[in-house]
Amino acid sequence: MVDKLARTPLSQVLMVVAVCTVLRIALFPILRNTPAHKRTGLFAFARIFNEVFDAIVYAGVFVFMLIRPFGIQTFKIPSGSMLNTLQLQDYIVANKAVYRYSDPKVGDIVVFRPPDYALYDYQKGLEIDFIKRCVGVEGDLIEIRDDVLYRNGQRVDESFVSYLNADGSPQTESEQSFRIKRNFKLVERNGEFWPVVYFGDVANAHGMVAERYQATTPEMATELLESPAAKIPKGHLLFMGDNRDYSSDGRVWGLAKRENVIGKSEFIWFPVNRWRPTH
């Protein structure tokens, strides 16, 4: 409910503000012309409604036209892709101002709009936001080998990474025994930067990456495997979920554009027992 309210389209907010303004104008003669000794009954109701409409107008202008676009906004965590850092149904506050004068840094937890091909068919055309951790910025060369992330050739200690099921439960011994450690790199191909997920001689098979990046022939898979890892180009970022086995992220659909970044997750504000900064 809170998340839905926070996403109220600006057009609807403007309509509500306009209606409340008209009603306030209609009530003004009653409030102004009623003598002091007759300010009961209808006047009392008019004053109450006027104060309510007044509060709605100020809240609409201040929150939805100033705070939400330029300051902060709340978001609800809908999936287990950021476990254990963020739990299902957590509500976080995102700082939308910080990236107006700076760029996301490695390690930031970022709210952003994903490329359209990262969405399921039923999500197309909807205002869908993702929240992931920034693991690479422009100029970085990112690779994953045997579940270990390397940035510019240096092994990275990612203490926040988990390998849980989508609901947050630990993987069973059976699940762990069948688990495949998938490697990752970016490859420049035909002017585009492709995410390449591979193990053995299998690369970008069906279900491993977004459809546009799938290797449709054995020759294409071999080409992707043999291509050198590429650096993240200017104006792009690489995001991954902390729960690596259950996250649709840059390994699946590639890079996100800097221009589609919305804000930085600062802290969890609900539920109360989970109040804490996010990092």
Side-chain angles (χ1 to χ4, degrees), residues 20-40:
C20 290
T21 300
V22 170
L23 292 173
R24 288 191 66 210
I25 293 173
L27 291 172
F28 181 71
I30 299 175
L31 299 175
R32 182 187 64 179
N33 299 327
T34 301
H37 65 283
K38 293 183 178 181
R39 292 182 177 178
T40 57

Side-chain angles (χ1 to χ4, degrees), residues 14-31 49-50 53-54 56-57:
L14 289 172
M15 186 179 299
V16 171
V17 168
V19 169
C20 290
T21 300
V22 170
L23 292 173
R24 288 191 66 210
I25 293 173
L27 291 172
F28 181 71
I30 299 175
L31 299 175
F49 282 117
N50 181 70
F53 295 146
D54 188 53
I56 293 174
V57 169

Side-chain angles (χ1 to χ4, degrees), residues 51-62:
E51 291 176 352
V52 171
F53 295 146
D54 188 53
I56 293 174
V57 169
Y58 281 113
V61 172
F62 185 69

Side-chain angles (χ1 to χ4, degrees), residues 65-199:
M65 298 182 194
L66 293 175
I67 297 298
R68 190 178 74 171
F70 304 108
I72 61 174
Q73 185 175 342
T74 63
F75 294 88
K76 180 183 178 181
I77 306 304
S79 73
S81 69
M82 284 297 292
L83 291 165
N84 273 320
T85 306
L86 299 175
Q87 303 289 328
L88 284 158
Q89 312 306 316
D90 277 352
Y91 285 82
I92 61 102
V93 170
N95 182 342
K96 302 178 74 172
V98 64
Y99 293 144
R100 293 185 180 276
Y101 54 81
S102 66
D103 290 320
K105 298 179 179 59
V106 167
D108 286 357
I109 298 176
V110 180
V111 179
F112 61 97
R113 293 189 179 89
D116 189 57
Y117 48 82
L119 303 175
Y120 296 107
D121 287 340
Y122 71 88
Q123 296 174 314
K124 303 287 178 63
L126 301 177
E127 186 178 342
I128 304 294
D129 303 319
F130 280 10
I131 181 166
K132 310 286 183 186
R133 190 180 297 271
C134 179
V135 299
V137 299
E138 59 182 60
D140 282 342
L141 192 150
I142 303 297
E143 294 180 90
I144 293 179
R145 300 193 294 268
D146 292 329
D147 284 345
V148 178
L149 187 141
Y150 292 82
R151 183 179 299 112
N152 302 321
Q154 301 296 313
R155 178 179 178 136
V156 179
D157 178 21
E158 296 184 296
S159 58
F160 46 79
V161 167
S162 62
Y163 296 93
L164 303 171
N165 292 315
D167 61 0
S169 61
Q171 294 184 358
T172 63
E173 289 186 10
S174 175
E175 289 171 329
Q176 291 178 0
S177 65
F178 284 102
R179 180 176 173 271
I180 298 174
K181 293 184 178 181
R182 298 180 181 182
N183 305 307
F184 167 83
K185 62 180 177 178
L186 281 175
V187 163
E188 188 172 3
R189 184 175 189 274
N190 299 329
E192 291 187 310
F193 288 84
W194 282 42
V196 178
V197 178
Y198 62 99
F199 59 92

Side-chain angles (χ1 to χ4, degrees), residues 182 202-211 214-215:
R182 298 180 181 182
V202 177
N204 287 27
H206 177 76
M208 293 172 65
V209 292
E211 184 176 358
Q214 289 175 10

